[in-house]
Amino acid sequence: SALIRHRDLAEQMVSSLGDRPVVVLRGHGLVSVGTGDPRHAVAEAMTRALAVDSLARTTLAVAATGAPLRPIPDEDVAELPDLGPAFNVSAMWRHLAARAEHEGPGTPLRP
């Protein structure tokens, strides 16, 4: 829960991240990473961070109702549509950039 200002804390964070794309830092938010060329890596890291934020907000809203949190059954997940290659980081990044331009720089980005 401490601010990461020293190499040893950064190494602990990287160790916790491991091969996963996102790690939640208690009391500080999250760190997300992307891969590939710098433009794609930044877009991927940002869209991952926004997706985790959205999922966390939804989970908190459900928890606030008092309803039990249950995982989605595998058979329900199997029924989800395949959105195909058009639904990807680039498409989400273009959407977020267009929203930011339309709504102004002070508007918080939420997917």
Coordinates of all heavy atoms in Angstrom, one line a residue:
S1 N 0.8 -1.2 0.0 CA 0.0 0.0 0.0 C 0.9 1.3 0.0 O 0.3 2.3 0.1 CB -0.9 0.0 1.2 OG -0.2 0.0 2.4
A2 N 2.2 1.1 -0.1 CA 3.0 2.3 -0.1 C 3.2 2.8 -1.5 O 3.1 2.0 -2.5 CB 4.4 1.9 0.5
L3 N 3.5 4.1 -1.6 CA 3.8 4.7 -2.9 C 5.1 4.0 -3.4 O 6.1 3.9 -2.7 CB 4.0 6.2 -2.8 CG 4.2 6.9 -4.1 CD1 3.0 6.7 -5.0 CD2 4.4 8.4 -3.8
I4 N 5.1 3.6 -4.7 CA 6.3 2.9 -5.2 C 7.3 4.0 -5.7 O 7.2 4.6 -6.7 CB 5.9 2.0 -6.4 CG1 4.9 0.9 -5.9 CG2 7.1 1.4 -7.1 CD1 4.3 0.1 -7.0
R5 N 8.3 4.1 -4.8 CA 9.4 5.1 -5.1 C 10.7 4.5 -5.1 O 11.7 5.2 -5.4 CB 9.4 6.2 -4.0 CG 8.1 7.1 -4.0 CD 8.2 8.1 -2.9 NE 7.4 9.2 -3.2 CZ 7.6 10.4 -2.6 NH1 8.4 10.5 -1.7 NH2 6.8 11.4 -3.0
H6 N 10.8 3.3 -4.7 CA 12.2 2.6 -4.6 C 12.2 1.3 -5.4 O 11.1 0.7 -5.6 CB 12.5 2.3 -3.1 CG 12.5 3.6 -2.3 ND1 13.4 4.5 -2.3 CD2 11.5 4.0 -1.4 CE1 13.1 5.5 -1.5 NE2 12.0 5.2 -0.9
R7 N 13.3 1.0 -5.8 CA 13.5 -0.2 -6.7 C 12.9 -1.5 -6.0 O 12.3 -2.3 -6.7 CB 15.0 -0.4 -7.0 CG 15.3 -1.5 -8.0 CD 16.8 -1.5 -8.3 NE 17.1 -2.0 -9.6 CZ 16.8 -1.5 -10.8 NH1 16.0 -0.5 -10.8 NH2 17.3 -2.0 -11.9
D8 N 13.1 -1.7 -4.7 CA 12.6 -2.9 -4.1 C 11.1 -3.0 -4.2 O 10.6 -4.1 -4.4 CB 13.1 -3.0 -2.7 CG 12.7 -1.9 -1.8 OD1 12.5 -0.8 -2.2 OD2 12.4 -2.2 -0.6
L9 N 10.4 -1.9 -4.0 CA 9.0 -1.9 -4.1 C 8.5 -2.1 -5.6 O 7.6 -2.9 -5.9 CB 8.3 -0.6 -3.6 CG 8.4 -0.4 -2.1 CD1 7.8 0.9 -1.7 CD2 7.6 -1.5 -1.4
A10 N 9.3 -1.5 -6.5 CA 9.0 -1.8 -7.9 C 9.2 -3.2 -8.3 O 8.4 -3.8 -9.0 CB 9.8 -0.9 -8.8
E11 N 10.2 -3.8 -7.8 CA 10.5 -5.2 -8.0 C 9.4 -6.1 -7.5 O 9.0 -7.1 -8.1 CB 11.9 -5.6 -7.5 CG 13.0 -5.0 -8.3 CD 14.4 -5.2 -7.7 OE1 14.5 -5.7 -6.5 OE2 15.4 -4.9 -8.3
Q12 N 8.9 -5.8 -6.3 CA 7.8 -6.5 -5.7 C 6.5 -6.4 -6.6 O 5.8 -7.4 -6.8 CB 7.5 -6.0 -4.3 CG 8.6 -6.4 -3.3 CD 8.3 -5.8 -1.9 OE1 7.1 -5.8 -1.5 NE2 9.3 -5.4 -1.3
M13 N 6.3 -5.2 -7.1 CA 5.1 -5.0 -7.9 C 5.3 -5.8 -9.2 O 4.3 -6.5 -9.7 CB 4.9 -3.5 -8.3 CG 3.7 -3.3 -9.1 SD 3.8 -1.8 -10.2 CE 5.2 -2.1 -11.2
V14 N 6.4 -5.8 -9.9 CA 6.7 -6.5 -11.1 C 6.5 -8.0 -10.8 O 6.0 -8.8 -11.6 CB 8.0 -6.2 -11.7 CG1 8.4 -7.1 -12.8 CG2 8.1 -4.7 -12.2
S15 N 7.0 -8.5 -9.7 CA 6.9 -9.9 -9.3 C 5.4 -10.3 -9.1 O 5.0 -11.3 -9.6 CB 7.7 -10.2 -8.0 OG 7.5 -11.5 -7.6
S16 N 4.6 -9.4 -8.5 CA 3.2 -9.7 -8.4 C 2.5 -9.7 -9.7 O 1.6 -10.5 -9.9 CB 2.6 -8.6 -7.4 OG 3.1 -8.7 -6.1
L17 N 2.9 -8.8 -10.6 CA 2.3 -8.7 -11.9 C 2.6 -10.0 -12.7 O 1.7 -10.6 -13.3 CB 2.9 -7.5 -12.7 CG 2.3 -7.2 -14.1 CD1 0.9 -6.9 -14.0 CD2 3.1 -6.1 -14.7
G18 N 3.8 -10.5 -12.6 CA 4.2 -11.7 -13.3 C 3.9 -11.7 -14.8 O 4.3 -10.7 -15.4
D19 N 3.2 -12.7 -15.3 CA 2.9 -12.7 -16.7 C 1.5 -12.2 -17.0 O 1.0 -12.3 -18.1 CB 3.1 -14.0 -17.3 CG 2.2 -15.1 -16.7 OD1 1.5 -14.8 -15.7 OD2 2.2 -16.2 -17.2
R20 N 0.9 -11.6 -16.0 CA -0.5 -11.1 -16.1 C -0.4 -9.6 -16.6 O 0.6 -8.9 -16.4 CB -1.2 -11.1 -14.8 CG -1.4 -12.6 -14.3 CD -2.1 -12.7 -12.9 NE -1.2 -12.2 -11.9 CZ -0.2 -12.9 -11.3 NH1 -0.1 -14.2 -11.6 NH2 0.5 -12.5 -10.3
P21 N -1.5 -9.2 -17.3 CA -1.5 -7.8 -17.8 C -1.8 -6.7 -16.8 O -1.6 -5.5 -17.1 CB -2.5 -7.9 -18.9 CG -3.5 -8.9 -18.5 CD -2.6 -9.9 -17.7
V22 N -2.4 -7.0 -15.7 CA -2.9 -6.0 -14.7 C -2.6 -6.5 -13.3 O -2.7 -7.7 -13.0 CB -4.4 -5.8 -14.9 CG1 -4.9 -4.7 -13.9 CG2 -4.7 -5.3 -16.3
V23 N -2.2 -5.6 -12.4 CA -2.1 -5.8 -11.0 C -2.8 -4.7 -10.3 O -2.6 -3.5 -10.6 CB -0.6 -6.0 -10.6 CG1 0.2 -4.8 -10.7 CG2 -0.5 -6.5 -9.1
V24 N -3.5 -5.0 -9.2 CA -4.2 -4.0 -8.4 C -3.3 -3.7 -7.2 O -2.8 -4.6 -6.5 CB -5.6 -4.5 -7.9 CG1 -6.2 -3.5 -7.0 CG2 -6.5 -4.8 -9.1
L25 N -3.1 -2.5 -7.0 CA -2.2 -2.0 -5.9 C -3.1 -1.5 -4.8 O -3.9 -0.6 -4.9 CB -1.3 -0.9 -6.3 CG -0.4 -1.2 -7.5 CD1 0.4 0.0 -7.9 CD2 0.6 -2.4 -7.2
R26 N -3.1 -2.2 -3.6 CA -3.9 -1.8 -2.5 C -3.7 -0.3 -2.2 O -2.6 0.1 -1.9 CB -3.6 -2.7 -1.3 CG -4.5 -2.4 -0.1 CD -4.2 -3.3 1.0 NE -2.8 -3.3 1.3 CZ -2.2 -4.1 2.2 NH1 -2.9 -5.1 2.8 NH2 -0.9 -4.0 2.4
G27 N -4.8 0.4 -2.2 CA -4.8 1.8 -1.8 C -4.3 2.7 -2.9 O -4.2 3.9 -2.7
H28 N -3.9 2.2 -4.1 CA -3.3 3.1 -5.1 C -3.9 2.9 -6.5 O -3.4 3.5 -7.4 CB -1.8 2.8 -5.2 CG -1.1 3.4 -4.0 ND1 -0.9 4.7 -3.8 CD2 -0.5 2.7 -2.9 CE1 -0.2 4.9 -2.6 NE2 0.0 3.7 -2.1
G29 N -4.8 2.0 -6.7 CA -5.3 1.8 -8.1 C -4.7 0.5 -8.7 O -4.5 -0.5 -8.0
L30 N -4.3 0.7 -9.9 CA -3.8 -0.5 -10.6 C -2.7 -0.1 -11.6 O -2.5 1.1 -11.9 CB -4.9 -1.3 -11.4 CG -5.7 -0.5 -12.4 CD1 -5.0 -0.7 -13.8 CD2 -7.1 -1.1 -12.5
V31 N -1.9 -1.1 -12.0 CA -0.9 -1.0 -13.1 C -1.3 -1.9 -14.1 O -1.6 -3.1 -13.9 CB 0.5 -1.3 -12.5 CG1 1.5 -1.4 -13.7 CG2 0.9 -0.3 -11.5
S32 N -1.3 -1.5 -15.4 CA -1.6 -2.4 -16.5 C -0.4 -2.2 -17.5 O 0.2 -1.1 -17.6 CB -2.9 -2.1 -17.1 OG -3.0 -0.8 -17.7
V33 N -0.2 -3.2 -18.3 CA 0.9 -3.2 -19.3 C 0.3 -3.6 -20.6 O -0.7 -4.3 -20.7 CB 2.0 -4.1 -18.9 CG1 2.7 -3.6 -17.6 CG2 1.6 -5.6 -18.7
G34 N 1.0 -3.2 -21.7 CA 0.7 -3.6 -23.0 C 2.0 -4.2 -23.7 O 3.1 -4.1 -23.1
T35 N 1.8 -4.7 -24.9 CA 2.9 -5.3 -25.6 C 3.0 -4.7 -27.0 O 2.0 -4.1 -27.5 CB 2.7 -6.8 -25.7 OG1 1.5 -7.1 -26.4 CG2 2.7 -7.4 -24.3
G36 N 4.0 -5.0 -27.7 CA 4.2 -4.5 -29.1 C 4.8 -3.2 -29.2 O 5.5 -2.7 -28.2
D37 N 4.6 -2.5 -30.3 CA 5.2 -1.2 -30.5 C 4.6 -0.2 -29.5 O 3.5 -0.5 -28.9 CB 5.0 -0.7 -32.0 CG 3.5 -0.4 -32.2 OD1 3.1 0.7 -31.9 OD2 2.8 -1.3 -32.8
P38 N 5.3 0.9 -29.2 CA 4.9 1.8 -28.1 C 3.4 2.3 -28.3 O 2.7 2.4 -27.3 CB 5.9 2.9 -28.2 CG 7.1 2.3 -28.7 CD 6.6 1.3 -29.7
R39 N 3.0 2.6 -29.5 CA 1.6 3.1 -29.6 C 0.6 2.1 -29.2 O -0.3 2.3 -28.5 CB 1.4 3.6 -31.1 CG 2.0 4.9 -31.4 CD 1.7 5.2 -32.8 NE 2.0 6.6 -33.0 CZ 1.3 7.5 -33.7 NH1 0.2 7.1 -34.2 NH2 1.7 8.7 -33.8
H40 N 0.8 0.8 -29.7 CA -0.1 -0.2 -29.4 C 0.0 -0.6 -27.9 O -1.0 -0.8 -27.3 CB 0.2 -1.5 -30.2 CG -0.8 -2.6 -30.0 ND1 -0.5 -3.6 -29.0 CD2 -2.0 -2.8 -30.5 CE1 -1.6 -4.4 -29.0 NE2 -2.4 -4.0 -29.9
A41 N 1.2 -0.6 -27.3 CA 1.4 -0.9 -25.9 C 0.6 0.0 -25.0 O 0.0 -0.4 -24.1 CB 2.9 -1.0 -25.6
V42 N 0.7 1.3 -25.3 CA 0.0 2.3 -24.5 C -1.5 2.1 -24.7 O -2.2 2.2 -23.7 CB 0.4 3.8 -24.9 CG1 -0.5 4.8 -24.3 CG2 1.9 4.0 -24.5
A43 N -2.0 2.0 -25.9 CA -3.4 1.8 -26.1 C -3.9 0.5 -25.4 O -4.9 0.5 -24.8 CB -3.7 1.7 -27.6
E44 N -3.1 -0.6 -25.5 CA -3.5 -1.8 -24.8 C -3.5 -1.7 -23.3 O -4.5 -2.1 -22.6 CB -2.5 -2.9 -25.2 CG -2.9 -4.3 -24.8 CD -2.0 -5.4 -25.4 OE1 -0.8 -5.2 -25.3 OE2 -2.6 -6.3 -26.0
A45 N -2.5 -1.0 -22.7 CA -2.5 -0.8 -21.3 C -3.6 0.1 -20.8 O -4.3 -0.2 -19.8 CB -1.1 -0.2 -20.9
M46 N -3.9 1.1 -21.6 CA -5.0 2.0 -21.2 C -6.4 1.3 -21.3 O -7.2 1.4 -20.4 CB -5.1 3.2 -22.1 CG -4.0 4.3 -21.8 SD -4.3 5.1 -20.2 CE -5.9 5.8 -20.5
T47 N -6.6 0.6 -22.4 CA -7.9 -0.1 -22.5 C -8.1 -1.2 -21.4 O -9.2 -1.4 -20.9 CB -8.1 -0.7 -23.9 OG1 -7.1 -1.5 -24.3 CG2 -8.2 0.4 -24.9
R48 N -7.0 -1.9 -21.1 CA -7.0 -2.9 -20.0 C -7.4 -2.2 -18.7 O -8.2 -2.7 -17.9 CB -5.7 -3.6 -19.9 CG -5.5 -4.6 -21.0 CD -4.1 -5.3 -20.9 NE -4.0 -6.4 -21.9 CZ -2.9 -7.0 -22.2 NH1 -1.8 -6.6 -21.6 NH2 -2.9 -8.0 -23.0
A49 N -6.7 -1.1 -18.4 CA -7.0 -0.4 -17.1 C -8.4 0.1 -17.1 O -9.1 -0.1 -16.0 CB -6.0 0.8 -17.0
L50 N -8.9 0.6 -18.1 CA -10.3 1.0 -18.2 C -11.3 -0.1 -18.0 O -12.3 0.0 -17.4 CB -10.6 1.9 -19.4 CG -9.9 3.2 -19.5 CD1 -10.0 3.8 -20.9 CD2 -10.5 4.2 -18.4
A51 N -11.0 -1.3 -18.6 CA -11.8 -2.4 -18.5 C -11.9 -3.0 -17.1 O -12.9 -3.3 -16.6 CB -11.4 -3.5 -19.5
V52 N -10.7 -3.0 -16.4 CA -10.7 -3.5 -15.0 C -11.5 -2.5 -14.1 O -12.2 -2.9 -13.3 CB -9.2 -3.6 -14.5 CG1 -9.2 -3.9 -13.0 CG2 -8.6 -4.8 -15.3
D53 N -11.3 -1.2 -14.4 CA -12.0 -0.2 -13.6 C -13.5 -0.4 -13.8 O -14.3 -0.3 -12.8 CB -11.6 1.2 -14.1 CG -12.3 2.3 -13.3 OD1 -12.0 2.5 -12.1 OD2 -13.2 2.9 -13.9
S54 N -14.0 -0.6 -15.0 CA -15.4 -0.7 -15.3 C -15.9 -2.0 -14.6 O -17.0 -2.0 -14.0 CB -15.6 -0.8 -16.8 OG -17.0 -1.0 -17.1
L55 N -15.2 -3.1 -14.7 CA -15.6 -4.3 -14.1 C -15.6 -4.2 -12.5 O -16.6 -4.6 -11.9 CB -14.6 -5.5 -14.4 CG -14.9 -6.8 -13.8 CD1 -16.3 -7.3 -14.2 CD2 -13.8 -7.8 -14.2
A56 N -14.7 -3.5 -12.0 CA -14.7 -3.3 -10.5 C -15.9 -2.4 -10.1 O -16.5 -2.7 -9.1 CB -13.4 -2.6 -10.1
R57 N -16.2 -1.4 -10.8 CA -17.4 -0.5 -10.5 C -18.7 -1.3 -10.6 O -19.5 -1.2 -9.7 CB -17.4 0.7 -11.4 CG -16.4 1.7 -11.2 CD -16.4 2.8 -12.2 NE -15.2 3.7 -12.0 CZ -15.1 4.7 -11.1 NH1 -16.2 4.9 -10.3 NH2 -14.1 5.4 -11.0
T58 N -18.8 -2.2 -11.6 CA -20.0 -3.0 -11.7 C -20.0 -4.0 -10.6 O -21.1 -4.2 -10.0 CB -19.9 -3.8 -13.1 OG1 -19.9 -2.8 -14.1 CG2 -21.1 -4.7 -13.2
T59 N -18.9 -4.6 -10.2 CA -18.9 -5.6 -9.1 C -19.3 -4.9 -7.8 O -20.1 -5.4 -7.0 CB -17.5 -6.2 -9.0 OG1 -17.2 -6.9 -10.2 CG2 -17.5 -7.2 -7.8
L60 N -18.8 -3.7 -7.6 CA -19.1 -2.9 -6.4 C -20.6 -2.6 -6.3 O -21.3 -2.6 -5.3 CB -18.3 -1.7 -6.2 CG -16.8 -1.9 -5.8 CD1 -16.1 -0.6 -5.9 CD2 -16.8 -2.5 -4.4
A61 N -21.2 -2.2 -7.5 CA -22.6 -1.8 -7.6 C -23.5 -3.1 -7.2 O -24.4 -3.0 -6.5 CB -22.9 -1.3 -8.9
V62 N -23.1 -4.2 -7.8 CA -23.8 -5.4 -7.5 C -23.7 -5.8 -6.0 O -24.7 -6.1 -5.3 CB -23.4 -6.6 -8.4 CG1 -24.0 -7.9 -7.9 CG2 -23.7 -6.4 -9.8
A63 N -22.5 -5.7 -5.5 CA -22.3 -6.0 -4.0 C -23.1 -5.1 -3.1 O -23.6 -5.5 -2.1 CB -20.8 -5.9 -3.7
A64 N -23.2 -3.8 -3.5 CA -24.0 -2.8 -2.7 C -25.4 -3.2 -2.6 O -26.1 -2.8 -1.7 CB -23.8 -1.4 -3.3
T65 N -26.0 -4.0 -3.5 CA -27.4 -4.4 -3.5 C -27.6 -5.5 -2.4 O -28.7 -5.8 -2.1 CB -27.9 -4.9 -4.8 OG1 -27.2 -6.2 -5.1 CG2 -27.6 -3.9 -5.9
G66 N -26.5 -6.1 -2.0 CA -26.6 -7.2 -1.1 C -26.7 -8.6 -1.8 O -26.7 -9.6 -1.1
A67 N -26.8 -8.5 -3.1 CA -26.9 -9.8 -3.8 C -25.6 -10.5 -3.8 O -24.5 -9.9 -3.8 CB -27.3 -9.5 -5.3
P68 N -25.6 -11.8 -3.8 CA -24.4 -12.6 -3.7 C -23.6 -12.5 -5.1 O -24.2 -12.4 -6.1 CB -24.8 -14.0 -3.4 CG -26.2 -14.1 -3.9 CD -26.8 -12.7 -3.7
L69 N -22.3 -12.4 -5.0 CA -21.5 -12.4 -6.2 C -21.2 -13.8 -6.5 O -20.6 -14.6 -5.7 CB -20.2 -11.6 -5.9 CG -20.4 -10.1 -5.6 CD1 -19.0 -9.5 -5.3 CD2 -21.0 -9.4 -6.7
R70 N -21.6 -14.2 -7.7 CA -21.3 -15.6 -8.2 C -20.6 -15.5 -9.5 O -20.9 -14.7 -10.4 CB -22.7 -16.3 -8.3 CG -23.4 -16.5 -7.0 CD -24.7 -17.3 -7.2 NE -25.5 -16.8 -8.3 CZ -26.7 -16.1 -8.0 NH1 -27.1 -16.0 -6.8 NH2 -27.4 -15.7 -9.0
P71 N -19.7 -16.5 -9.7 CA -19.1 -16.5 -11.1 C -20.1 -16.9 -12.1 O -21.1 -17.6 -11.9 CB -18.0 -17.6 -10.9 CG -18.4 -18.4 -9.7 CD -19.3 -17.5 -8.8
I72 N -19.8 -16.5 -13.4 CA -20.6 -16.9 -14.5 C -20.3 -18.3 -14.8 O -19.1 -18.7 -15.0 CB -20.3 -16.0 -15.7 CG1 -20.6 -14.5 -15.4 CG2 -21.1 -16.4 -16.9 CD1 -20.1 -13.5 -16.4
P73 N -21.3 -19.2 -14.9 CA -21.1 -20.6 -15.2 C -20.4 -20.7 -16.6 O -20.7 -20.0 -17.5 CB -22.5 -21.2 -15.2 CG -23.4 -20.2 -14.5 CD -22.7 -18.9 -14.7
D74 N -19.6 -21.8 -16.7 CA -18.9 -22.0 -17.9 C -19.8 -22.2 -19.1 O -19.5 -21.7 -20.2 CB -18.0 -23.3 -17.8 CG -16.8 -23.1 -16.9 OD1 -16.4 -21.9 -16.6 OD2 -16.3 -24.1 -16.4
E75 N -21.0 -22.8 -18.9 CA -21.9 -23.0 -20.0 C -22.4 -21.6 -20.5 O -22.7 -21.5 -21.7 CB -23.0 -24.0 -19.7 CG -23.8 -23.7 -18.4 CD -23.2 -24.3 -17.2 OE1 -22.1 -24.8 -17.2 OE2 -23.9 -24.2 -16.1
D76 N -22.6 -20.7 -19.6 CA -23.1 -19.4 -20.0 C -22.0 -18.6 -20.8 O -22.2 -17.9 -21.8 CB -23.5 -18.5 -18.8 CG -24.8 -19.0 -18.2 OD1 -25.4 -19.9 -18.8 OD2 -25.2 -18.5 -17.2
V77 N -20.7 -18.8 -20.3 CA -19.6 -18.1 -21.0 C -19.5 -18.7 -22.4 O -19.2 -18.0 -23.4 CB -18.3 -18.3 -20.2 CG1 -17.1 -17.9 -21.0 CG2 -18.3 -17.6 -18.9
A78 N -19.7 -20.0 -22.6 CA -19.6 -20.6 -23.9 C -20.7 -20.1 -24.8 O -20.5 -20.1 -26.1 CB -19.8 -22.2 -23.7
E79 N -21.8 -19.5 -24.3 CA -22.8 -19.0 -25.2 C -22.6 -17.6 -25.6 O -23.3 -17.0 -26.4 CB -24.2 -19.1 -24.5 CG -24.7 -20.5 -24.2 CD -25.0 -21.2 -25.5 OE1 -25.6 -20.5 -26.4 OE2 -24.7 -22.4 -25.7
L80 N -21.6 -16.9 -25.0 CA -21.3 -15.5 -25.4 C -20.8 -15.5 -26.9 O -20.1 -16.3 -27.3 CB -20.2 -14.9 -24.5 CG -20.6 -14.7 -23.0 CD1 -19.4 -14.3 -22.2 CD2 -21.7 -13.7 -22.9
P81 N -21.3 -14.4 -27.6 CA -20.9 -14.3 -29.0 C -19.4 -14.0 -29.2 O -18.8 -13.3 -28.3 CB -21.8 -13.2 -29.5 CG -22.0 -12.3 -28.3 CD -22.1 -13.3 -27.1
D82 N -18.9 -14.5 -30.3 CA -17.5 -14.2 -30.6 C -17.6 -12.9 -31.4 O -18.2 -12.8 -32.5 CB -16.9 -15.3 -31.5 CG -15.5 -15.0 -32.0 OD1 -15.0 -13.9 -31.6 OD2 -14.9 -15.8 -32.7
L83 N -17.1 -11.8 -30.8 CA -17.1 -10.5 -31.5 C -16.2 -10.3 -32.6 O -16.2 -9.3 -33.3 CB -17.0 -9.4 -30.4 CG -18.0 -9.4 -29.3 CD1 -17.7 -8.4 -28.3 CD2 -19.4 -9.2 -29.9
G84 N -15.3 -11.3 -32.8 CA -14.4 -11.3 -33.9 C -13.3 -10.4 -33.8 O -13.1 -9.6 -32.8
P85 N -12.4 -10.3 -34.8 CA -11.2 -9.5 -34.8 C -11.5 -8.0 -34.8 O -10.6 -7.2 -34.5 CB -10.4 -9.9 -36.0 CG -11.5 -10.5 -36.9 CD -12.5 -11.1 -36.1
A86 N -12.7 -7.6 -35.2 CA -13.0 -6.1 -35.3 C -13.1 -5.5 -33.9 O -12.9 -4.3 -33.7 CB -14.3 -5.9 -36.0
F87 N -13.4 -6.4 -32.9 CA -13.5 -5.9 -31.5 C -12.1 -6.1 -30.8 O -11.8 -7.2 -30.3 CB -14.6 -6.6 -30.7 CG -14.9 -6.1 -29.4 CD1 -15.6 -4.9 -29.3 CD2 -14.4 -6.7 -28.2 CE1 -15.8 -4.3 -28.0 CE2 -14.7 -6.1 -27.0 CZ -15.4 -5.0 -26.9
N88 N -11.3 -5.1 -30.9 CA -9.9 -5.2 -30.4 C -9.4 -3.9 -29.8 O -10.2 -3.0 -29.7 CB -9.0 -5.7 -31.5 CG -9.0 -4.7 -32.7 OD1 -9.2 -3.5 -32.5 ND2 -8.8 -5.3 -33.9
V89 N -8.2 -3.9 -29.4 CA -7.6 -2.8 -28.8 C -7.7 -1.5 -29.7 O -8.0 -0.4 -29.2 CB -6.1 -3.0 -28.4 CG1 -5.4 -1.8 -27.9 CG2 -6.1 -4.1 -27.3
S90 N -7.4 -1.7 -30.9 CA -7.4 -0.5 -31.8 C -8.8 0.1 -31.9 O -8.9 1.3 -31.9 CB -6.9 -1.0 -33.2 OG -5.6 -1.4 -33.2
A91 N -9.8 -0.8 -32.0 CA -11.2 -0.3 -32.1 C -11.6 0.5 -30.8 O -12.1 1.6 -30.9 CB -12.2 -1.4 -32.4
M92 N -11.2 -0.1 -29.7 CA -11.6 0.5 -28.4 C -10.8 1.9 -28.3 O -11.3 2.9 -27.8 CB -11.3 -0.4 -27.2 CG -11.5 0.2 -25.9 SD -13.2 0.8 -25.7 CE -13.9 -0.6 -24.8
W93 N -9.5 1.9 -28.7 CA -8.7 3.1 -28.6 C -9.3 4.2 -29.4 O -9.3 5.3 -29.0 CB -7.3 2.8 -29.0 CG -6.3 3.9 -28.7 CD1 -5.7 4.7 -29.7 CD2 -5.9 4.4 -27.5 NE1 -4.9 5.6 -29.1 CE2 -5.0 5.5 -27.7 CE3 -6.1 4.1 -26.1 CZ2 -4.4 6.2 -26.7 CZ3 -5.5 4.8 -25.1 CH2 -4.7 5.9 -25.4
R94 N -9.7 3.9 -30.7 CA -10.3 4.9 -31.6 C -11.6 5.4 -30.9 O -11.8 6.6 -31.0 CB -10.6 4.3 -32.9 CG -9.3 4.1 -33.8 CD -9.7 3.7 -35.2 NE -10.6 2.6 -35.4 CZ -10.2 1.3 -35.4 NH1 -9.0 1.0 -35.4 NH2 -11.1 0.4 -35.6
H95 N -12.4 4.5 -30.3 CA -13.6 5.0 -29.7 C -13.3 5.9 -28.5 O -13.9 7.0 -28.4 CB -14.3 3.7 -29.1 CG -15.4 4.0 -28.2 ND1 -16.6 4.6 -28.6 CD2 -15.5 3.9 -26.8 CE1 -17.4 4.8 -27.5 NE2 -16.7 4.4 -26.4
L96 N -12.3 5.6 -27.7 CA -12.0 6.4 -26.5 C -11.4 7.7 -27.0 O -11.7 8.8 -26.4 CB -11.0 5.7 -25.6 CG -11.5 4.5 -24.9 CD1 -10.4 3.7 -24.2 CD2 -12.6 4.8 -23.9
A97 N -10.6 7.7 -28.0 CA -10.0 9.0 -28.5 C -11.1 9.9 -29.1 O -11.1 11.1 -28.9 CB -8.9 8.7 -29.6
A98 N -12.0 9.3 -29.8 CA -13.1 10.1 -30.4 C -14.0 10.7 -29.3 O -14.4 11.9 -29.3 CB -14.0 9.2 -31.3
R99 N -14.2 9.9 -28.2 CA -15.0 10.4 -27.1 C -14.3 11.6 -26.4 O -14.9 12.6 -26.1 CB -15.3 9.3 -26.1 CG -16.5 8.5 -26.5 CD -16.9 7.5 -25.4 NE -17.1 8.2 -24.1 CZ -16.9 7.6 -22.9 NH1 -16.5 6.4 -22.9 NH2 -17.1 8.3 -21.8
A100 N -13.0 11.4 -26.2 CA -12.2 12.4 -25.5 C -12.2 13.7 -26.3 O -12.3 14.8 -25.8 CB -10.8 11.9 -25.3
E101 N -12.1 13.6 -27.6 CA -12.1 14.8 -28.5 C -13.5 15.4 -28.5 O -13.6 16.7 -28.4 CB -11.7 14.4 -29.9 CG -11.6 15.6 -30.8 CD -10.9 15.3 -32.1 OE1 -10.1 14.4 -32.2 OE2 -11.3 15.9 -33.1
H102 N -14.5 14.6 -28.5 CA -15.9 15.2 -28.5 C -16.3 15.8 -27.2 O -16.9 16.8 -27.1 CB -16.9 14.1 -28.9 CG -18.3 14.5 -28.8 ND1 -18.9 15.3 -29.8 CD2 -19.3 14.2 -28.0 CE1 -20.1 15.5 -29.5 NE2 -20.4 14.8 -28.4
E103 N -16.0 15.1 -26.1 CA -16.4 15.5 -24.8 C -15.5 16.5 -24.1 O -15.8 17.0 -23.1 CB -16.6 14.2 -23.9 CG -17.7 13.4 -24.4 CD -17.9 12.0 -23.7 OE1 -17.2 11.9 -22.6 OE2 -18.7 11.2 -24.2
G104 N -14.2 16.6 -24.6 CA -13.3 17.5 -24.0 C -12.3 16.8 -23.1 O -12.5 15.7 -22.6
P105 N -11.1 17.4 -22.9 CA -10.0 16.8 -22.2 C -10.3 16.6 -20.7 O -9.7 15.7 -20.1 CB -8.8 17.7 -22.4 CG -9.5 19.0 -22.7 CD -10.8 18.7 -23.4
G106 N -11.2 17.3 -20.1 CA -11.5 17.1 -18.7 C -12.5 16.0 -18.4 O -12.7 15.7 -17.2
T107 N -13.0 15.3 -19.4 CA -14.0 14.3 -19.2 C -13.4 13.0 -18.8 O -12.5 12.6 -19.6 CB -14.9 14.1 -20.4 OG1 -15.5 15.4 -20.8 CG2 -16.0 13.1 -20.2
P108 N -13.7 12.3 -17.7 CA -13.1 11.1 -17.4 C -13.4 10.0 -18.5 O -14.6 10.0 -18.9 CB -13.7 10.7 -16.1 CG -14.5 11.8 -15.6 CD -14.7 12.8 -16.7
L109 N -12.5 9.2 -18.8 CA -12.7 8.2 -19.8 C -13.2 6.9 -19.1 O -12.7 6.5 -18.1 CB -11.4 7.8 -20.5 CG -10.9 8.8 -21.5 CD1 -9.6 8.3 -22.1 CD2 -11.9 9.0 -22.6
R110 N -14.3 6.5 -19.6 CA -14.9 5.2 -19.1 C -15.4 4.5 -20.3 O -16.0 5.1 -21.2 CB -16.1 5.5 -18.2 CG -15.8 6.3 -17.0 CD -16.2 5.6 -15.7 NE -16.0 6.5 -14.6 CZ -14.9 6.7 -13.9 NH1 -13.8 6.1 -14.3 NH2 -14.9 7.5 -12.9
P111 N -15.1 3.2 -20.4 CA -15.5 2.4 -21.6 C -17.0 2.3 -21.7 O -17.7 2.6 -20.8 CB -14.9 1.1 -21.4 CG -14.3 1.0 -20.1 CD -14.3 2.4 -19.5

